[in-house]
Amino acid sequence: MKKFLLLAIESSCDDTAVAIIDENSCVLADIVYGQNIAHAPFGGVVPEIASREHLQQIPQAVAAAFEAAHIKAQDLCAIAVTSGPGLVGSLLIGVQFARGLAQSLGIPLMGIHHIEGHLMASSASEEFPREPFIALIASGGHSALYLCHGQCRYELLGETKDDAAGEAFDKSAKLLGLGYPGGRVIDELAQKGDSLLFKFPIAFRTSKSVDYSFSGLKTSFRLLVQKLQAEGHDLSGQLLFDLCASVQKAVVDALVAKAFLACEQQNIKHLVLGGGVAANSALRAAALAQGKKRGIQVLVPEKAHCTDNAVMIALAAKNRLDLGLVQEFKLNANASLG
């Protein structure tokens, strides 16, 4: 009997990722080719460049995955690919490659929602909760809270009304001359700073809404940086550390407050984090501390599986297959998939 092996491709933005898992959700290959060097000169992701990079990297990433898993294409039983949301050009390249490979092998092809992938990034863990649970997904493009029901049903409870948490980090880093991407650099420098030195606004702080907004925080940070520069301050050393720590605290406080408010409103005792910002050390620490204080189990993914990766897409697809669910999304690239 042929062993179950599933290959997954993730190409929704600027990371080319391929993974292979088996019937026990064991990861046999986990390949990620980043594009930071290509986009760094522009301070953000350039869609056309991202598409060209994916076109070159996907065949290499798939070949590397086969080599890491010690298998051949003919050993595969199914293929999964991110079908949306994301950059339409990047998505198209991943979907078309996956479709062609699946057709040539005569095996099923599944389209997976990018956010569902982040929701399932920790699902191989023995600590992953049974539904229902609350999920906080925070990244460069998303900041949202979901109530996860059984049978892969996800209810959006709240989301950002403007900018995402990851974007707030990247734009703050750009103002400080820290380059792109900036979230990781801010996290590192913040550990040397005083997070209470500067205060920034947190939207909906006293509201019962579980929505987010980071545009006001970004504006406040920009005005402070401009003021300090106008006064002749050198934005380096301890001042730089303090600025990073303070803006990080504002973002983290906002994310954590609404996540636990959602748990309280829905009477849920389990919170799962996902998305690139879930790799932030302050967010992980604050969420775990609040969870312990409130009696809520908090699960954070491995840092390597917080940012875009194909393991999460493979796990989401495997979960659907185990439940006997037919694919719900048309297998075509959909940049605005809801």
Side-chain angles (χ1 to χ4, degrees):
M1 186 174 179
K2 188 176 181 179
K3 182 180 179 180
F4 177 85
L5 294 170
L6 183 147
L7 179 142
I9 296 173
E10 153 61 30
S11 66
S12 63
C13 190
D14 63 329
D15 285 331
T16 304
V18 177
I20 297 173
I21 64 171
D22 64 15
E23 69 276 8
N24 297 315
S25 297
C26 292
V27 179
L28 306 181
D30 181 9
I31 308 297
V32 180
Y33 291 163
Q35 300 181 8
N36 288 345
I37 294 176
H39 298 286
F42 307 96
V45 177
V46 180
E48 293 80 3
I49 293 177
S51 298
R52 289 199 296 269
E53 292 286 316
H54 285 307
L55 193 60
Q56 295 175 353
Q57 293 175 345
I58 285 181
Q60 301 174 33
V62 170
F66 286 149
E67 183 177 356
H70 304 292
I71 67 167
K72 299 178 181 179
Q74 291 74 16
D75 297 324
L76 296 174
C77 296
I79 295 176
V81 63
T82 304
S83 55
L87 301 176
V88 65
S90 296
L91 289 166
L92 272 170
I93 292 168
V95 167
Q96 294 296 342
F97 187 96
R99 179 187 292 165
L101 183 58
Q103 288 178 345
S104 70
L105 297 171
I107 59 177
L109 175 61
M110 300 181 64
I112 298 297
H113 196 296
H114 180 74
I115 299 301
E116 184 174 356
H118 280 305
L119 288 168
M120 298 302 295
S122 303
S123 61
S125 169
E126 294 182 356
E127 297 179 359
F128 194 76
R130 292 184 177 180
E131 297 89 348
F133 61 86
I134 300 293
L136 165 62
I137 305 300
S139 66
H142 306 279
S143 293
L145 288 162
Y146 294 86
L147 173 57
C148 302
H149 302 280
Q151 298 294 306
C152 298
R153 292 180 296 114
Y154 309 107
E155 178 184 350
L156 179 65
L157 300 177
E159 61 184 337
T160 181
K161 295 304 181 183
D162 39 60
D163 305 316
E167 183 181 354
F169 279 139
D170 286 339
K171 293 298 175 63
S172 297
K174 185 176 181 180
L175 284 168
L176 296 172
L178 300 178
Y180 173 86
R184 184 179 302 172
V185 180
I186 284 183
D187 189 4
E188 292 174 357
L189 299 180
Q191 297 179 37
K192 307 174 186 177
D194 180 359
S195 63
L196 301 177
L197 190 60
F198 300 106
K199 303 292 184 183
F200 299 105
I202 296 178
F204 312 125
R205 182 190 289 270
T206 59
S207 170
K208 293 300 181 182
S209 164
V210 290
D211 288 322
Y212 294 109
S213 170
F214 295 100
S215 61
L217 187 156
K218 280 172 50 182
T219 299
S220 178
F221 187 78
R222 175 175 56 82
L223 293 175
L224 173 62
V225 169
Q226 291 175 343
K227 177 177 180 290
L228 292 171
Q229 290 173 328
E231 293 173 351
H233 292 280
D234 179 14
L235 302 186
S236 63
Q238 191 59 49
L239 179 57
L240 176 62
F241 303 152
D242 294 340
L243 285 166
C244 289
S246 297
V247 73
Q248 177 175 263
K249 176 176 171 53
V251 173
V252 168
D253 284 353
L255 291 173
V256 170
K258 295 303 181 181
F260 283 97
L261 177 59
C263 290
E264 177 184 325
Q265 291 177 345
Q266 301 295 327
N267 193 28
I268 299 293
K269 296 297 183 182
H270 298 278
L271 173 66
V272 174
L273 271 59
V277 178
N280 180 274
S281 60
L283 175 59
R284 296 166 78 91
L288 289 169
Q290 279 295 314
K292 185 176 182 180
K293 180 179 179 181
R294 296 168 180 254
I296 294 176
Q297 179 189 356
V298 177
L299 182 61
V300 295
E302 296 179 24
K303 286 192 175 184
H305 293 156
C306 290
T307 52
D308 292 349
N309 64 90
V311 172
M312 67 183 193
I313 302 302
L315 292 173
K318 179 64 166 50
N319 182 54
R320 285 184 169 272
L321 287 171
D322 289 344
L323 291 170
L325 297 178
V326 178
Q327 173 191 325
E328 296 180 3
F329 310 111
K330 288 184 179 180
L331 195 48
N332 201 353
N334 188 342
S336 58
L337 186 61

